[in-house]
Each structure stands twice: as structure tokens, then as C-alpha cells.
DNA sequence: CGAAATCTTGATTGAATTCAATCTAAGTGG
DNA sequence: CCACTTAGATTGAATTCAATCAAGATTTCG
């Protein structure tokens, strides 16, 4: 749903624990696994939503397009993330593999069937949707009001947090990052060199999907944090 | 939740019909009404979410701030819209009255109490949250990838659609519109004069919260529509 | 009416884009 | 293994769109 569910380790283990759900319902079935080659489409905007997906390995980008090809990536889905759940029967964005990616598939019908009976599961789905909404809301602030350097700094902080370390290997290209942040790829490159010069990060390899070592404090200084009362 | 629920007339009338809910549960109580003067706060970011609100008259803006005061409005809530529902117990944005506004208040506890028992209501809440998410996703595309004129055109189209007519009286200031679209107020004014010159709209009054007559076709040409396969 | 707020318009600046040229890393095939 | 190609990344220079600075115009309100 255009936004990722980060792997929430606080959820109870259960039948659906791997999906990040607390419900003990046995209605989720039809598990299967599929591998998508780099760049291939998992599903397209306005296609019927048949499955719900969970990333096992790799990374997914989900995006919307304007008629002239301008692209806005709404979220990257990393290992453990659940994506593709739609309340309506139709996907509102396109999902593609950033690199070779393996995903588990859950039949959507399974959810629908139990929807009216299993309140616990419904609560889980609200929580899932709410998490997506929260991510989207924060991204609105970033897209509308942050500068290029602040956007890139915020992106790196997000990736670091989702990875749980300050050592991150970005699976996506500069173009993908740019389309996530509402920038051009050259601007992303320039911001990264600026951040490096400012000591906010360093490259431990100098090959092209490099491993980046983050300096959290310096990044936090450059990323305008949200104002909290 | 940073995003509005538009008045959906397709929902079944019921006990909660006015709230836009299909559930026939009788658990929603504690109705009361309150009027907010222009510019006053309904609730603040990170405050505990005690109530759910529905606009009876007027308009509400909900926004987030950066530490240096940059503001991003996530949504305007117009007559009939429900806002302030939070899955967690804390508001993720600040809500203020754009003009003098009357709202109905529902105690949040009422929802929580029945949450685990009334599946129908839970479905309603998912639908509500999903609608917010959808709005946010479309706004991401607007903020990240549309030009100033496209943004203003899209804004007018949105307002026209929510109003159900092509005759709209905007309750909010140029600054509010600017903060909704990720622009400066001067840029909004310039875009409006451009749209007027292009024949996409005309002012039926020339006072300052003017009534605007929209020319849908011309606007649609100037607002880059989303690409649909 | 006069004062304050809001809006519009003009001139200028500036941040990000665009265009263009390397540069680097990763294939590919002889 | 090395020349060659290709994709992706970086850097530089020029341009552009929106921001900023500033002045009026219009509306609202006390």
C-alpha cells in the first residue's frame, strides 16, 4: 500500500507471527514463495490485489507515475516487510524488485473470508494500515518542507534505523533514492558528497553499491528533526 | 490522522451513519458539540487522543512542524469529515480551526471498548484509515513530483470534488494552501493568476476569500493526472 | 476612518535541475 | 587476462523554477 511495514519485533509469535500479526486465526493459508528478478514487476497500479507479500530476501520499491513518466516512490520494502495488502481489491501503486528478491505470498481471499469473524486479526490489519499511514505522513513533511541535504540525511537515518545498524549497504540506485525523495539523481549524489565532507558518513568500500558508515549525531544535525512540543 | 475522511454518501444510514460508519453497534456514545474560534487548536501533536471529531461547520487544518517553523499541512477537514481518530493513543499532528468551526466529539474510549467485539465497526475503522492512507499517497506524488501550477490546479480540483460543485469558496488563506502544497504563498498567488489567464478559473467575487468558478477541463489539462495503465 | 491583515505583483536571488562530460565498477567475449 | 562495452555515479557549468525580498493594493475589522 505504497508504504512499508517495518519488521516489528515486539509482536507476539503466533501462527501469523511471521507476518507481523498477533491473531491466532488459522485462516491464513495458501503460502507460497516466489523470486523476482531485478527490475521485474510484482504487481501494477490498478491491478486486482490477489496476494499479500512479505519480503524474504532483497528489496521492493512501490511507486506511482505521472503521465509523462515522473515517478514518486512511496516506500522501499526491505526484508521482513509486509506489502501489497489492500482494503479495496485493487493495488494503488506499482511494486517492483530493486534487486533479485524472494517473497512469500499469502492469498488475499484468506483475509477476506475471516474478516468479519476474527476481530483480533482485524485489529492487526488496522495496526498495519496505521503504520503505513504514519510513514506516509512523515514522508509528506519530508517531501513538502525539507531541503535536498535534509532529505538525504533523513533517508540515511531511516535506512539505518530499519537496518538496526549504522553500517548500511543500499540496495537501490541513486535514481531510486531520488524518486523516493522527490529529487534528481545528481542532487542525491551531490548531497551524499556534502554529507561525507561534513563527516556525517563515510564509505567503507568505494565500489558502487557501497557500504556506508553513518555518523548518527552529525546526520541528526543535518536532518531537521520534526518539532515535538 | 493527518488526512481527511471525505463525506461518503454511499455509506448505509445507521446509528453511526453520521460518522460514516456502517456498524450498527450502540457503543458509540458521549456525543457532544464544541465550537472553535478561528485559529484555535483542537489538539496538538503528541497529545493523548481522547476524542474523535466530526466537522459540522467550518474547516480544520492538520499539520506537522519542523523545529525551525516550516509547516506541512497534511489535510483540510471540511464539513462532514471525521478526523482525530488514532490507533495509538497519541495524535500524530496538530489540528487547528481554519475559520470558526463547530465539531461533534466522540469519546475515544467508546471505540476501544468495543474494539475487540464488534468486527463490523473494525471494518469501518480499517476503511477510514485506508481512505486517509490513499489521500496521503496521492499527496506524496503531488508534493514530490508536481510543479507549482500543477499543485494548485490539483488542489482546486480536489476542493471542487469534495464540494460537489465547480463553485468553491475557499475557507483557508494563501499561506494555508501554500503549506498544504509545499509552496510559498506568493507562488500560490502567482499560480492562481496564471490559471485565471489560462481560463481554468474565474473569480465571481473579488473579495479576498473569493468564490472561484472552476473550468474542469482546463484544470485537468494543467494538473498532470496520475498515469493509469 | 485608520490600522492590521491578506493578497498580488515586481525584481532579484538561490537551490535544485538540466545538460554535458568524465569516472568507476562490473560485465563480456576474444 | 586484457580490451571493450555498458550501467551507474560523480562532478562541472548553465539554466530554470520557485523562493526571497520588497512594494503596493485590497480587504477586513476595530
Amino acid at each position: 500500500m505504497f508504504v512499508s511495514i517495518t519488521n516489528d519485533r515486539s509482536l507476539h509469535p503466533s501462527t501469523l507471527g511471521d507476518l507481523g500479526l498477533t491473531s491466532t486465526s488459522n485462516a491464513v493459508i495458501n503460502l507460497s514463495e516466489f523470486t523476482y528478478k531485478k527490475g521485474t514487476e510484482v504487481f501494477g497500479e490498478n491491478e486486482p490485489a490477489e496476494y499479500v507479500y512479505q519480503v524474504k530476501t532483497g528489496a521492493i520499491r512501490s511507486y506511482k507515475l505521472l503521465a509523462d513518466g515522473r515517478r514518486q516512490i512511496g516506500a522501499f520494502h526491505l526484508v521482513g516487510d509486509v506489502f501489497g495488502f489492500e482494503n479495496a481489491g485493487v493495488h494503488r501503486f506499482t511494486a517492483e524488485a530493486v534487486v533479485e528478491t524472494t517473497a512469500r505470498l499469502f492469498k488475499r481471499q484468506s483475509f477476506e473470508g475471516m474478516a468479519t469473524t476474527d476481530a483480533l486479526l482485524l485489529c492487526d490489519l488496522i495496526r498495519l494500515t496505521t503504520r503505513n499511514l504514519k510513514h506516509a505522513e512523515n514522508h509528506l513533511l519530508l517531501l513538502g518542507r525539507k531541503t535536498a541535504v535534509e532529505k538525504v540525511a533523513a533517508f540515511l537515518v531511516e535506512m539505518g534505523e530499519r537496518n538496526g545498524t549504522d553500517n548500511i549497504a543500499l540496495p537501490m540506485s541513486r535514481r531510486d533514492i531520488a524518486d523516493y525523495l522527490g529529487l534528481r539523481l545528481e542532487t542525491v549524489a551531490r548531497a551524499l558528497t556534502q554529507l561525507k565532507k561534513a563527516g556525517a558518513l563515510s564509505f567503507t568500500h568505494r565500489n558502487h553499491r557501497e557500504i556506508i558508515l553513518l555518523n548518527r549525531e552529525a546526520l541528526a544535525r543535518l536532518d531537521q528533526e520534526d518539532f515535538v512540543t
Side-chain angles (χ1 to χ4, degrees), chain A residues 137-151:
Chain A
E137 289 167 354
N138 290 330
H139 213 53
L140 291 184
L141 181 61
L142 177 145
L143 289 172
R145 287 299 177 219
K146 291 191 181 181
T147 66
V149 170
E150 286 168 355
K151 285 175 174 179

Side-chain angles (χ1 to χ4, degrees), chain A residues 48-227:
Chain A
E50 273 196 274
Y51 300 97
V52 177
Y53 305 80
Q54 184 180 38
V55 180
K56 300 306 290 176
T57 68
I60 298 286
R61 58 177 172 250
S62 51
Y63 64 86
K64 283 174 177 285
L65 286 178
L66 290 175
D68 62 1
R70 279 174 285 175
R71 183 178 69 158
Q72 180 62 49
I73 294 179
F76 293 111
H77 311 293
L78 307 183
V79 173
D81 292 352
V82 173
F83 68 100
F85 168 73
E86 300 292 347
N87 186 237
V90 166
H91 289 296
R92 291 196 301 277
F93 54 97
T94 302
E96 283 175 0
V98 171
V99 290
E100 176 156 311
T101 298
T102 303
R104 279 208 294 175
L105 279 69
F106 302 83
K107 254 233 163 333
R108 204 187 108 83
Q109 269 68 12
S110 332
F111 288 98
E112 276 179 339
M114 65 186 156
T116 47
T117 57
D118 186 343
L120 249 178
L121 178 66
L122 287 175
C123 286
D124 288 333
L125 294 184
I126 291 179
R127 195 155 352 116
L128 190 140
T129 308
T130 301
R131 221 177 299 166
N132 287 344
L133 181 56
K134 193 172 167 183
H135 181 269
E137 289 167 354
N138 290 330
H139 213 53
L140 291 184
L141 181 61
L142 177 145
L143 289 172
R145 287 299 177 219
K146 291 191 181 181
T147 66
V149 170
E150 286 168 355
K151 285 175 174 179
V152 173
F155 169 73
L156 293 173
V157 168
E158 183 194 344
M159 287 298 141
E161 275 168 4
R162 288 173 66 178
N163 219 35
T165 60
D166 290 350
N167 256 347
I168 54 176
L170 300 174
M172 68 290 284
S173 69
R174 296 292 185 259
R175 172 172 299 280
D176 283 343
I177 299 171
D179 283 350
Y180 181 57
L181 300 177
L183 298 170
R184 312 259 72 184
L185 60 92
E186 297 96 328
T187 309
V188 171
R190 280 184 243 271
L192 283 171
T193 45
Q194 259 191 268
L195 290 170
K196 191 167 69 178
K197 279 178 190 161
L201 59 84
S202 52
F203 300 105
T204 60
H205 296 49
R206 20 170 191 42
N207 57 336
H208 106 241
R209 279 314 194 281
E210 44 317 72
I211 291 174
I212 296 180
L213 183 63
L214 304 181
N215 176 346
R216 298 261 191 157
E217 298 85 53
L219 277 176
R221 246 177 292 128
L222 289 156
D223 168 28
Q224 267 288 340
E225 284 297 321
D226 308 0
F227 179 73

Side-chain angles (χ1 to χ4, degrees), chain A residues 33-46:
Chain A
E33 230 169 80
F34 197 81
T35 298
Y36 300 89
K37 286 215 175 57
K38 178 177 174 171
T40 55
E41 185 173 300
V42 178
F43 54 78
E45 196 172 342
N46 292 103

